[in-house]
């Protein structure tokens, strides 16, 4: 049967090409997403500034948080924990340096301190050995001196350092052995310790020893880790770890959706291809071919096409994956230091998914022809009427049940933007469910729209409606990809626009400041008093964003933590939107916290929390306030939060009033209106939106290909029908007008079903985040999607129809259907 399958493929080039295209692009997209996932899992970052030291000791940025009380857990079960990703730099006690020097085999130990210094990064001079940097001129820095990478020895420069701007004399020029990331400025070790704002602590420790040296005894009792190889790079570039985790989630979601779409498209294409060959398969049954032989032939064809498609896709998958990765790097989603990796695992996974889709699609498509009696098959080959099978009913019921369950969970359980995690996947479930019953639904919709279309198009529309009523199964096969493309595009774009609008509204509601003073390196704590003393200022507060993790009561936080804002008690009420329902923000001093009502705590409760750098403390709830669901943030004193952040100082001061603050601006310190904060919020949001649009756009391009693929394949197979129509008196123009009306019909039905599919995701999500059934976003988005779907349907119908009617009618009438 394999030999017959190969011969059939040579004679059925149109069906072969359509199936090949569906499998090729499906496998290609899945391979590209697999490459992104592998890159995120590996997070391979070559060390730069720390490349000269074999072992780097650094604080662990991930800690295990207990989710249950150890005293009450079942002793026969493991303690439930969750890994917390600490957002702030975890520093090490400087006393650890002496312990590491005492380890046998260690030759040298160098501590490193890092802090912002304008456009560069400040370090102590001794840490130059970690790269290493070597002096090209001048000498090592002393008190009030610096060594820079470019400049003139003896020249004085002003550097914005944490909290202030100081003047230094350039004592020397140093050059790294190789590229070392951001430019470095070296101070004396004592001055670096003073400027860092964390006396008695160091950022990392470089250990010069063989990589297999056992440091566990020296590190016992600390959260420090000994890192070698590329792991050193993740300490130097901590943002790479965060972006790697985001890349894994992004690739998993996009890859999963791509697999579902690919299996759907490949299965539909194979089903349509086999459906168009029913006469041929019926004749094979009539001359003695057994059902088993028929299945083997169809499966053989599918496997041959699958091997060819996945083989070529395997050669190009890394190219598309690399392109996607480069786009993410260019737009700041992934740091350029992360290396792209795509090994054999994504290739095998994508090939396996495509092969399974081809196998099951071909098996299901061949089963009907194999089970049907030869005489019945010959009768049904021209016009297929029987379509509702037990399998279709079961799949439809399961998909509708799953979509309904996700909708209920979204409305009843989810809050805020996180509701998209359950609303989004519902699109595919509704789409698959409708696809299973699409012939029946299509027939119903055709009956509804036939009168207005016939009224607008006359005889051509009447013929188109008669064809649609007689070919409901084939029309449904053409409608399905239009439905899929419209549903996915409408749902995902409106979910994104609604989420963006709600996020912007929540940010605006929470921000009452009229101006903001910012310094990435941190502001001088004394600046707040100067701001308060400025005429026209009615309120001012430090603004320190971070995250905390609630340890007790157990189980109240997740691995992402809870956003917290460090504020000044005297100015919090004027600069934030928090209006306590009990307690007062003026009590935010020391270890205290103000909490949203949705977290279920009351004034007087005591909580144990872990701050952003891993420090654990007990806090007292002094105020409770209402907050928008999904956008809750805790409020804590800035003096409590700031020391446990990476810079150690407040990066911003929020100001209420109409005062002129221009005189406070200086190098490294900017003064702007509240629009600066909103612009930064929008910029961060737009990066996430751009990523979603890029990957969804890639999936949409695939569904567009499937639309064209299906409609072209279905239209080209009607060459004989067109020839007979022309022999009976119809002109070529009339045939084309008839096909144009069929294209309009397919577009109308497909867009209608796609709208229903998207509503299954949009409505539950909007009920949660906006209390409305309609999404937030311009109507033009939907009109553009519908217009593109209509244009695709017309193009994919008229162009092949024009080609199919280009020959003589008599020759076309004798052609194989």
């Amino acid at each position: 049967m394999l030999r017959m399958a190969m011969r059939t493929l040579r004679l059925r080039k149109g069906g072969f090409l359509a199936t090949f295209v569906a499998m090729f692009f499906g496998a290609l997209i899945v391979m590209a997403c697999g490459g992104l996932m592998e890159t995120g899992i590996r997070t391979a970052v070559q060390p730069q500034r720390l490349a000269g030291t074999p072992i780097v000791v650094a604080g662990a940025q991930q800690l295990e948080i207990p989710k249950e009380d150890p005293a009450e857990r079942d002793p026969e079960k493991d303690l439930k924990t969750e890994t917390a990703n600490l957002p702030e730099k975890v520093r090490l006690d400087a006393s650890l340096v002496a312990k590491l020097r005492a380890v046998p085999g260690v030759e040298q130990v160098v501590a490193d301190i890092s802090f912002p210094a304008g456009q560069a990064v400040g370090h102590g001079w001794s840490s130059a050995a970690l790269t290493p940097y070597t002096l090209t001129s001048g000498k090592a820095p002393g008190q009030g001196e610096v060594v820079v990478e470019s400049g003139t020895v003896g020249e004085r420069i002003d550097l914005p350092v944490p909290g202030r701007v100081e003047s230094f004399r350039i004592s020397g020029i140093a050059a790294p052995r190789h590229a070392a990331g951001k430019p470095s400025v070296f101070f004396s070790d004592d001055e670096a310790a003073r400027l860092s704002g964390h006396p008695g602590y160091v950022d990392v420790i470089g250990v010069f020893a063989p990589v297999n040296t056992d440091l566990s005894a020296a590190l016992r009792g600390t959260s420090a880790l000994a890192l070698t190889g590329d792991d050193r790079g993740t300490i130097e570039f901590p943002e790479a770890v965060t972006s790697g985790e985001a890349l894994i989630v992004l690739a998993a979601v996009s890859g999963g959706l791509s697999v579902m779409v690919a299996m759907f498209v490949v299965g539909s294409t194979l089903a349509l291809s086999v459906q168009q060959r029913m006469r041929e398969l019926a004749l094979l049954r009539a001359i003695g071919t057994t059902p088993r032989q028929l299945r083997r032939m169809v499966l053989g064809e599918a496997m041959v096409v699958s091997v060819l498609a996945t083989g070529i896709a395997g050669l190009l998958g890394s190219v598309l994956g690399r392109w996607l990765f480069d786009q993410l790097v260019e737009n700041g989603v992934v740091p350029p230091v992360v290396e792209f990796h795509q090994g054999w695992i994504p290739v095998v996974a994508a090939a396996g998914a495509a092969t399974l889709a081809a196998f099951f699609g071909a098996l299901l498509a061949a089963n009907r022809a194999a089970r049907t009696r030869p005489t019945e098959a010959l009768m049904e080959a021209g016009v297929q009427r029987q379509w509702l099978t037990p399998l279709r009913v079961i799949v439809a019921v399961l998909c509708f049940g799953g979509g309904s369950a996700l909708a209920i969970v979204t409305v009843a359980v989810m809050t805020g933007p996180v509701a998209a995690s359950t609303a989004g996947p519902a699109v595919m479930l509704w789409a698959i469910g409708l696809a299973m019953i699409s012939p029946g639904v299509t027939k119903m919709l055709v009956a509804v729209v036939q009168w207005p279309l016939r009224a607008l198009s006359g005889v051509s529309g009447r013929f188109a409606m008669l064809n649609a009523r007689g070919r409901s199964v084939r029309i449904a096969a053409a409608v399905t990809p239009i439905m899929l493309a419209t549903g996915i595009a409408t749902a995902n774009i409106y979910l994104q626009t609604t989420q963006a609008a709600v996020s912007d509204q929540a940010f605006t509601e929470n921000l009452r400041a009229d101006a903001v003073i910012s310094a990435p390196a941190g502001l001088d704590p004394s600046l707040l008093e100067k701001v308060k003393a400025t005429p026209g200022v009615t309120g001012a507060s430090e603004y320190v964003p971070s995250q905390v993790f609630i340890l007790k009561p157990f189980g109240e936080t997740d691995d992402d933590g809870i956003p917290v804002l460090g504020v000044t008690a005297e100015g919090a009420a004027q600069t934030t939107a928090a209006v306590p329902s009990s307690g007062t923000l003026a009590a935010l001093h020391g270890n205290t916290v103000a909490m949203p009502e949705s977290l279920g705590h009351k004034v007087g409760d005591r909580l144990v929390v872990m701050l952003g750098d891993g420090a654990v403390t007990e806090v007292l709830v002094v105020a409770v306030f209402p907050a928008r669901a999904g956008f809750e943030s805790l409020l804590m004193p800035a003096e409590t939060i700031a020391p446990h952040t990476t810079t150690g100082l407040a990066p911003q001061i929020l100001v209420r009033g109409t005062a002129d603050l221009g005189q406070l601006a200086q190098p490294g310190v900017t003064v702007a209106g509240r629009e600066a904060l909103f612009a930064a919020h929008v910029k961060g949001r737009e990066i996430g939106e751009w990523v979603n649009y890029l990957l969804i756009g890639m999936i949409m391009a695939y569904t567009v290909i499937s639309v064209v693929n299906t409609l072209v394949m279905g239209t080209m197979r009607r060459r004989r029908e067109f020839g007979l129509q022309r022999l009976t008196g119809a002109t070529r123009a009339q045939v084309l007008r008839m096909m144009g009306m069929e294209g309009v019909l397919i577009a109308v039905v497909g867009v209608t079903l796609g709208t229903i599919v998207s509503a299954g995701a949009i409505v539950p999500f909007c009920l949660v985040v906006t209390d409305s059934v309609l999404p937030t976003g311009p109507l033009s988005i939907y009109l553009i999607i519908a217009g593109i779907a209509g244009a695709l349907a017309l193009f994919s119908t008229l162009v092949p129809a024009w080609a199919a009617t280009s020959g003589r009618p008599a020759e076309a009438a004798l052609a194989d259907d």
Side-chain angles (χ1 to χ4, degrees):
M1 297 308 292
L2 182 60
R3 183 180 301 174
M4 183 176 291
M6 295 296 294
R7 291 178 178 176
T8 305
L9 288 176
R10 289 201 300 268
L11 297 174
R12 297 282 183 179
K13 296 183 178 63
F16 163 77
L17 182 61
T19 306
F20 175 85
V21 168
M23 291 185 185
F24 170 75
F25 283 103
L28 187 67
I29 293 174
V30 176
M31 287 178 188
C33 291
L36 295 181
M37 178 174 286
E38 182 178 348
T39 300
I41 293 173
R42 288 177 179 266
T43 314
V45 181
Q46 290 287 340
Q48 295 181 8
R49 194 180 59 81
L50 301 176
T53 178
I55 305 174
V56 173
V57 175
Q61 293 293 142
Q62 292 184 327
L63 295 178
E64 293 296 322
I65 295 179
K67 304 297 290 182
E68 59 180 345
D69 190 344
E72 298 179 359
R73 72 181 179 93
D74 186 342
E76 297 182 359
K77 296 181 179 180
D78 293 334
L79 179 67
K80 293 181 181 179
T81 62
E82 220 169 48
T83 302
N85 299 297
L86 300 179
E88 310 293 350
K89 182 70 176 179
V90 178
R91 293 179 170 83
L92 302 173
D93 193 299
S95 62
L96 185 58
V97 174
K99 295 180 181 178
L100 291 170
R101 284 199 180 106
V103 174
V106 172
E107 301 172 4
Q108 183 183 4
V109 177
V110 177
D112 177 47
I113 295 172
S114 301
F115 53 90
Q119 299 299 317
V121 180
H123 304 281
W125 173 243
S126 63
S127 68
L130 301 177
T131 308
Y133 276 82
T134 55
L135 284 170
T136 58
S137 63
K139 62 181 182 65
Q143 190 70 21
E145 296 179 331
V146 292
V147 169
V148 296
E149 294 186 25
S150 61
T152 302
V153 175
E155 183 181 30
R156 297 199 69 84
I157 58 173
D158 292 331
L159 288 175
V161 292
R164 65 188 70 85
V165 176
E166 294 191 15
S167 178
F168 298 90
R169 175 183 173 276
I170 298 177
S171 67
I173 308 298
R177 180 180 295 176
H178 48 75
K182 287 185 177 181
S184 294
V185 176
F186 294 98
F187 302 79
S188 67
D189 289 346
D190 291 340
E191 192 131 55
R194 175 182 66 84
L195 294 173
S196 71
H198 296 88
Y201 290 89
V202 297
D203 288 358
V204 298
I205 302 173
V207 179
F208 290 83
V211 293
N212 59 352
T213 302
D214 185 7
L215 304 178
S216 58
L219 302 181
R220 188 174 295 117
T222 72
S223 65
L225 300 174
L227 306 172
T228 60
D230 287 350
D231 290 339
R232 296 171 296 168
T234 60
I235 292 300
E236 188 174 346
F237 302 99
E239 66 276 12
V241 177
T242 304
S243 67
E245 293 174 351
L247 202 58
I248 293 172
V249 175
L250 188 67
V253 173
S254 301
L257 182 59
S258 299
V259 169
M260 294 181 69
V261 172
M263 296 184 73
F264 189 79
V265 170
V266 170
S268 300
T269 305
L270 282 168
L272 181 60
S273 178
V274 172
Q275 176 187 316
Q276 292 178 342
R277 296 168 52 193
M278 285 297 291
R279 184 182 299 277
E280 168 195 328
L281 299 177
L283 287 172
L284 287 173
R285 289 281 286 115
I287 63 174
T289 304
T290 66
R292 182 180 179 185
Q293 288 174 322
L294 203 62
R295 292 190 187 95
R296 286 171 56 193
M297 185 189 74
V298 175
L299 287 173
E301 293 173 3
M303 291 303 99
V304 169
V305 176
S306 177
V307 169
L308 290 174
T310 56
I312 298 175
L315 300 176
L316 300 176
S318 61
V319 176
L320 178 60
R322 166 65 72 176
W323 181 83
L324 288 173
F325 180 77
D326 290 342
Q327 299 307 305
L328 297 176
V329 170
E330 279 185 24
N331 287 272
V333 180
V334 179
V337 293
V338 177
E339 298 179 2
F340 177 75
H341 282 279
Q342 183 161 354
W344 60 269
I345 295 179
V347 175
V348 172
T355 302
L356 285 176
F359 178 82
F360 287 110
L363 185 63
L364 292 173
N367 268 342
R368 182 177 178 277
R371 288 197 309 266
T372 307
R373 294 178 181 178
T375 53
E376 294 176 354
L378 285 170
M379 292 172 60
E380 295 181 7
V383 179
Q384 182 182 351
R385 298 185 184 278
Q386 298 180 3
W387 58 271
L388 191 60
T389 63
L391 180 61
R392 278 179 175 263
V393 173
I394 292 172
V395 173
V397 170
L398 289 176
C399 288
F400 288 145
S404 300
L406 287 177
I408 293 171
V409 170
T410 301
V411 174
V413 179
M414 297 298 176
T415 59
V418 74
S421 62
T422 52
V427 175
M428 285 303 302
L429 291 175
W430 289 111
I432 295 173
L434 274 178
M436 293 298 101
I437 60 172
S438 61
V441 176
T442 299
K443 196 168 185 177
M444 292 172 55
L445 289 177
V446 168
V448 172
V449 303
Q450 64 174 330
W451 300 111
L453 289 181
R454 286 175 61 176
L456 293 173
S457 57
V459 176
S460 299
R462 184 175 182 181
F463 278 124
M465 294 307 116
L466 290 173
N467 270 332
R469 287 162 57 186
R471 297 172 175 269
S472 60
V473 177
R474 293 188 180 182
I475 290 292
V479 163
T480 298
I482 294 286
M483 171 193 68
L484 185 65
T486 304
I488 291 179
T490 304
N492 283 281
I493 292 177
Y494 274 117
L495 285 176
Q496 192 71 62
T497 58
T498 303
Q499 192 164 339
V502 172
S503 176
D504 290 348
Q505 184 179 357
F507 186 85
T508 303
E509 291 173 352
N510 290 334
L511 183 66
R512 299 179 61 197
D514 297 309
V516 56
I517 303 173
S518 303
L523 293 165
D524 186 344
S526 65
L527 183 61
L528 179 63
E529 296 304 319
K530 296 179 182 178
V531 173
K532 290 180 179 179
T534 303
V537 172
T538 59
S541 169
E542 291 182 306
Y543 186 82
V544 188
S546 186
Q547 287 177 317
V548 299
F549 305 84
I550 298 178
L551 302 183
K552 293 181 182 179
F554 293 97
E556 291 206 2
T557 188
D558 57 23
D559 58 347
D560 292 327
I562 300 175
V564 62
L565 300 177
V567 296
T568 306
E570 293 75 18
Q574 291 80 22
T575 56
T576 68
V579 179
S581 55
S582 63
T584 175
L585 300 183
L588 286 172
H589 292 283
N591 292 339
T592 57
V593 63
M595 307 194 73
E597 291 176 340
S598 59
L599 296 183
H601 294 284
K602 61 183 183 299
V603 173
D605 287 351
R606 290 190 174 273
L607 312 175
V608 177
V609 301
M610 183 168 65
L611 303 177
D613 64 347
V616 177
T617 185
E618 185 180 70
V619 295
L620 173 68
V621 179
V622 295
V624 175
F625 57 91
R628 179 185 284 266
F631 296 91
E632 298 94 342
S633 294
L634 309 184
L635 297 181
M636 291 183 66
E639 71 261 18
T640 301
I641 294 294
H644 299 280
T645 61
T646 299
T647 60
L649 297 171
Q652 294 171 328
I653 293 177
L654 303 183
V655 183
R656 186 77 182 273
T658 58
D660 180 10
L661 303 173
Q663 74 277 6
L664 298 178
Q666 56 181 302
V669 178
T670 59
V671 178
R674 59 179 289 159
E675 64 275 3
L677 277 177
F678 184 75
H681 160 76
V682 170
K683 183 178 180 181
R685 171 177 58 74
E686 286 178 344
I687 290 177
E689 290 177 4
W690 178 89
V691 172
N692 289 333
Y693 287 142
L694 173 68
L695 294 174
I696 290 298
M698 180 179 63
I699 297 172
M700 288 308 305
Y702 178 47
T703 58
V704 165
I705 291 172
S706 73
V707 169
V708 176
N709 204 14
T710 302
L711 291 176
V712 169
M713 184 170 62
T715 304
M716 289 299 294
R717 292 289 297 167
R718 298 172 63 180
R719 184 183 175 195
R720 183 170 179 267
E721 173 193 334
F722 298 154
L724 289 172
Q725 288 178 344
R726 293 173 66 189
L727 286 176
T728 57
T731 65
R732 186 185 185 192
Q734 288 175 322
V735 173
L736 290 177
R737 283 199 296 271
M738 178 193 74
M739 292 306 298
M741 290 310 302
E742 281 195 27
V744 171
L745 177 66
I746 290 170
V748 170
V749 176
V751 170
T752 301
L753 293 179
T755 304
I756 295 173
V757 165
S758 64
I762 292 174
V763 171
F765 178 77
C766 291
L767 286 173
V768 171
V769 299
T770 66
D771 293 326
S772 170
V773 297
L774 296 177
T776 303
L779 178 63
S780 58
I781 293 175
Y782 178 75
L783 297 178
I784 290 172
I785 293 172
I788 293 174
L792 280 173
L794 285 174
F795 173 82
S796 304
T797 302
L798 287 176
V799 172
W802 178 84
T805 57
S806 60
R808 295 180 179 180
E811 294 177 353
L814 295 175
D816 184 15
D817 193 31

